[in-house]
Amino acid sequence: MADTRKLDTALEALVHDGSLSADQADLVRTQYESTEEPSDSRKSVLAEIAGYLGGTFVVIAVTIVTARQWEAFTELQRGILFGALAIALFALGTFVGTSTAVKSRLAGLLFGLAAGSTTGTLAILDSNRDTPTIAFLAGTAIALTGYYMVQTFVGHVVLYGYIFITGIMALSDLMPDGSGMAIYVGTYFLALGGAWIFFTYRKFVDQILGYIFGGATLFIATQVLFIDAEHWLSYLSMIAVAGATAWLYLRVHAWPLVLTAVLTTTVGVGEFVAETLGGSLGAALGLFAAGTALVTSSLLALR
């Protein structure tokens, strides 16, 4: 992703000073995006697999040895143990670097493990809290730093997972009695899903995975609002989500967007009709209305 942004910036500068025409810049950009990266050699792939297996064996061995003495450790000693592991993993990820695709993937995995160890460290040292929000905030910071240094599939998954969970924990801390929790959680999911789709559209994160995360979170938000909040609010959110994702799909043609629009429209129309009419007739009308909405959307897209 970083290389694509650098290329776009360089091409815009060349077009601005007249060194390249806009058509030439588009041709270079198209050729760059369609060019596949050279595949890794068999030796590097085998070395990568061996590294993962070796690391797994080491972790299992350390876990077995530590588990036997775990009860004898104080909370401070346990925290120091996890903290040292977090520092070592992060330092190792930085040392591995990003000069090759194999090293980038390995570094991304190490940064993800460092984020988990950081969370474990603070959770142990602050074990009296009902929810380890501070620990997950620290893990989120490490995951974000690692993803900034190297953009990998694992790093993307870890970062989004941390943000997703940390937001829920923060809301739980702000509302310990749980009153009105569904509205706040649904609104948070709407904001998170919308922001992630925006970041994906701006090419800050991986295109397909980013749209999957963003679209899935938006759909979950509509269902949270429908189940535990005011239904009219969920209907408005469904209309907004279906319309926005369908509109964006016509511009970027990413299948997770059209899947989000179709799924939100189908479920939303069915829920609305079933709630207002009820019974078997309501279910049939809900299916008919959803089919009509999808056919209409298809015709508008083809047009």
Side-chain angles (χ1 to χ4, degrees), residues 39-58:
S39 58
D40 299 323
S41 64
R42 292 183 180 180
K43 182 183 296 185
S44 62
V45 172
L46 291 176
E48 182 180 7
I49 295 174
Y52 292 150
L53 290 176
T56 302
F57 294 156
V58 170

Side-chain angles (χ1 to χ4, degrees), residues 80-94 113-115 117-118 121:
I80 292 175
L81 180 64
F82 270 86
L85 180 61
I87 295 173
L89 288 170
F90 192 88
L92 185 58
T94 305
L113 294 175
S117 297
T118 302
T121 301

